[in-house]
Amino acid sequence: MKIGVLAVQGAAREHILCLSRLGVEAVPVLRPADLAGLSGLILPGGESTAQWRLLSRAGLLGPLQEALKEGLPAFGTCAGLILLAREITNWPERYFGVLDVVVERNATGRQVDSFEAEVKVEGLGEVPAVFIRAPAIRAVGPKVEVLGRYDGEPVLVRQSSILGATFHPELTEDLRLHEFFLNLCGKG
Amino acid sequence: MQKGTYRVKTGFAEMFKGGVIMDVTTPEQAQIAEEAGAVAVMALERVPADIRAQGGVARMADPKRIKEIMNAVSIPVMAKCRIGHIAEAKILEALGVDFIDESEVLTPADPFHHIDKWQFKVPFVCGCRDLGEACRRLAEGAAMLRTKGEAGTGNVVEAVRHMRLLNDQIRRLKEMSRAELVTYAKEIGAPVEILEMIQELGRLPVVNFAAGGIATPADAALMRMLGADGVFVGSGIFKSANPEKRARAIVLACTYYDDPELLAKVSEDLGEAMPGIEIEKIPEHALMQYR
């Protein structure tokens, strides 16, 4: 199984390391050709505005949109979740829009309010999470399952083989969410 | 729930990787930077080229200016405090600035010490010219590093010097025995335990950007080829003839630094770059990197 990690900007290296530790081939995705033969794609944290502009200016947008529409399993963390979301409450743009959730950018505030905490995840128990200027999930569509909550609010969601987290599992040593995603890719 | 942990600080810096952080002096410039694809902006009253030209004591920017810039964009906002100026840093933290650059571009406030950055919730980035300086800043709690280069010159040679030196020192460190490492730590003024950590990792433990003199897409690409995780562009964008176009070009060059055809395309017809200065023409006391 080969998993791509979108690498135009952001924390791609950390996800690639997590996947490598799980014995999976992980490749950075920078060009349309990098999408060939992927069983899944991780959209890492970073700046969603910068990532989107790079994707559109480097000709990667169309091929990526196509792959996601065709059902390529995807896991978006933080900025990656924003790129996948159907709607952003406090930003005029809409990106891939393949995950039926409404998100708010920078909902936890500025960097001094960024934090680490344990998140309750269905079937996995407590999972360590790092929230960095994190978005919030304000609404979820009927086909979206809330898998993890923090402080009562959804922070990890799944819609078929698309997974979205408002936090960064790749900044911790815990690989269970990556494993969980690999299972979704295997079924796809 | 824990705020301001080292992991939260260094993790935030990881999110900047592959990106460009741009100096801006007005809300309008900040919006141009955001639209161009900057991963963050550095809010300033004067860009380094003007600080250099005008002289005098360079201090933290007016909080009003910083707040205006914070309100104008959705991307992170950084601001500079003087080296060792704990009070300026506390003010910037209270303003909610996302990252503080304890910067040699401003006039140093403390002739003896840098700030003890462990005492803050907000993360700090610091400049370094070599491995010893990098290790000292890490010991003080810096969550991100950058080369010093020579700011405000539009001349990349010093940033290249600092990145080359660092690379060379890390390469040699990897081969050292424990005894050699201890002696080396003394030579370069670095704490032993931090050198050990770098030896084990085979690289710096935090994100390291290039800064100081980057003026063109090719400069940004060069620094990435040398191993920089991303670039700061100070005067290079808003002191050039066409800031929008140049900013976009540098953003693309920073990601696709290994694609010469794309670099050629984005480098085309950008208009005048900022005027450059030869380092040899600058009197030694006016060099910012020795601060």
Side-chain angles (χ1 to χ4, degrees):
Chain A
M1 185 162 26
K2 185 165 83 169
I3 303 293
V5 181
L6 193 61
V8 289
Q9 191 282 312
R13 178 179 67 195
E14 286 59 39
H15 279 294
I16 290 172
L17 285 174
C18 288
L19 293 168
S20 306
R21 281 165 59 203
L22 288 167
V24 173
E25 186 188 357
V27 293
V29 172
L30 280 156
R31 296 170 178 86
D34 301 329
L35 291 168
L38 294 185
S39 304
L41 177 74
I42 292 183
L43 296 90
E47 275 307 311
S48 54
T49 51
Q51 291 178 348
W52 187 257
R53 277 151 187 71
L54 280 159
L55 290 177
S56 42
R57 289 169 198 162
L60 196 52
L61 202 55
L64 254 180
Q65 188 99 50
E66 199 61 26
L68 290 170
K69 251 193 222 153
E70 280 169 16
L72 178 69
F75 183 11
T77 57
C78 195
L81 166 69
I82 294 170
L83 292 191
L84 293 173
R86 166 171 62 83
E87 190 188 325
I88 308 165
T89 60
N90 55 345
W91 189 245
E93 294 174 308
R94 172 195 142 117
Y95 302 126
F96 291 117
V98 292
L99 177 60
D100 192 8
V101 295
V102 177
V103 296
E104 179 186 334
R105 281 184 70 201
N106 304 332
T108 57
R110 306 208 72 98
Q111 172 61 15
V112 283
D113 298 311
S114 294
F115 62 96
E116 353 185 349
E118 302 276 317
V119 165
K120 269 205 182 80
V121 177
E122 223 160 284
L124 296 180
E126 303 260 292
V127 171
V130 184
F131 292 83
I132 295 177
R133 283 171 50 97
I137 298 170
R138 293 301 182 206
V140 301
K143 288 185 181 153
V144 176
E145 187 186 353
V146 176
L147 294 176
R149 289 182 186 273
Y150 175 72
D151 213 10
E153 298 297 320
V155 293
L156 178 69
V157 293
R158 179 174 84 102
Q159 174 185 321
S160 171
S161 59
I162 300 178
L163 199 58
T166 63
F167 57 89
H168 297 279
E170 79 283 6
L171 295 178
T172 73
E173 302 297 307
D174 195 305
L175 299 172
R176 285 177 294 168
L177 288 181
H178 286 87
E179 261 177 321
F180 183 84
F181 176 60
L182 292 178
N183 283 332
L184 294 182
C185 297
K187 280 172 198 152
Chain B
M1 199 233 311
Q2 283 182 293
K3 291 184 182 181
T5 61
Y6 196 53
R7 176 149 66 179
V8 166
K9 293 174 176 177
T10 56
F12 182 34
E14 300 289 347
M15 302 305 146
F16 294 138
K17 281 197 305 246
V20 182
I21 299 170
M22 303 181 191
D23 278 6
V24 299
T25 58
T26 64
E28 295 72 34
Q29 288 184 355
Q31 283 165 349
I32 291 171
E34 182 174 53
E35 189 47 46
V39 292
V41 292
M42 178 77 69
L44 295 168
E45 259 179 47
R46 295 183 287 171
V47 293
D50 289 335
I51 292 174
R52 184 177 289 287
Q54 292 161 11
V57 174
R59 310 180 179 92
M60 173 189 82
D62 183 338
K64 182 165 177 262
R65 177 74 57 95
I66 295 169
K67 281 200 292 198
E68 285 167 356
I69 290 169
M70 285 166 62
N71 290 331
V73 290
S74 67
I75 56 177
V77 176
M78 299 184 165
K80 290 185 195 287
C81 74
R82 283 180 264 178
I83 290 172
H85 207 311
I86 305 161
E88 283 188 350
K90 285 285 178 195
I91 290 168
L92 293 175
E93 184 176 52
L95 285 174
V97 157
D98 296 297
F99 232 101
I100 296 178
D101 183 4
E102 187 182 18
S103 176
E104 71 284 0
V105 168
L106 304 183
T107 310
D110 188 328
F112 307 111
H113 308 291
H114 279 64
I115 295 171
D116 175 7
K117 294 165 271 286
W118 297 110
Q119 305 305 319
F120 288 77
K121 277 204 165 66
V122 63
F124 281 75
V125 54
C126 288
C128 59
R129 285 163 300 171
D130 55 30
L131 187 58
E133 205 169 22
C135 290
R136 292 192 292 279
R137 299 297 84 82
L138 290 170
E140 294 153 3
M144 177 175 173
L145 295 167
R146 55 170 176 77
T147 61
K148 281 184 165 175
E150 190 57 38
T153 61
N155 189 341
V156 78
V157 65
E158 296 303 295
V160 170
R161 182 194 310 280
H162 301 157
M163 191 59 79
R164 288 269 187 211
L165 260 173
L166 199 61
N167 287 344
D168 179 52
Q169 288 174 306
I170 292 173
R171 194 162 41 235
R172 280 190 287 144
L173 177 69
K174 285 198 261 186
E175 305 294 311
M176 284 180 199
S177 67
R178 162 93 195 165
E180 287 168 331
L181 184 143
V182 172
T183 307
Y184 190 54
K186 190 178 148 198
E187 264 172 42
I188 65 171
V192 170
E193 50 287 5
I194 289 181
L195 274 186
E196 283 174 336
M197 180 169 57
I198 294 170
Q199 186 181 52
E200 204 188 308
L201 267 174
R203 60 171 172 86
L204 291 173
V206 301
V207 165
N208 184 32
F209 267 43
I214 293 154
T216 67
D219 288 347
L222 170 63
M223 295 315 299
R224 292 277 281 142
M225 287 171 188
L226 296 180
D229 291 314
V231 300
F232 284 87
V233 186
S235 324
I237 289 170
F238 290 100
K239 282 283 162 192
S240 75
N242 190 343
E244 280 100 340
K245 199 170 177 190
R246 185 167 295 264
R248 279 180 181 226
I250 292 177
V251 166
L252 270 169
C254 194
T255 294
Y256 293 97
Y257 64 91
D258 59 351
D259 181 345
E261 278 165 32
L262 183 137
L263 293 178
K265 212 172 91 189
V266 302
S267 299
E268 207 172 294
D269 196 25
L270 293 180
E272 277 292 300
M274 70 175 284
I277 307 174
E278 276 180 66
I279 305 300
E280 292 73 22
K281 301 267 165 70
I282 306 172
E284 193 143 342
H285 65 84
L287 287 170
M288 292 170 171
Q289 61 179 288
Y290 297 114
R291 290 170 164 178

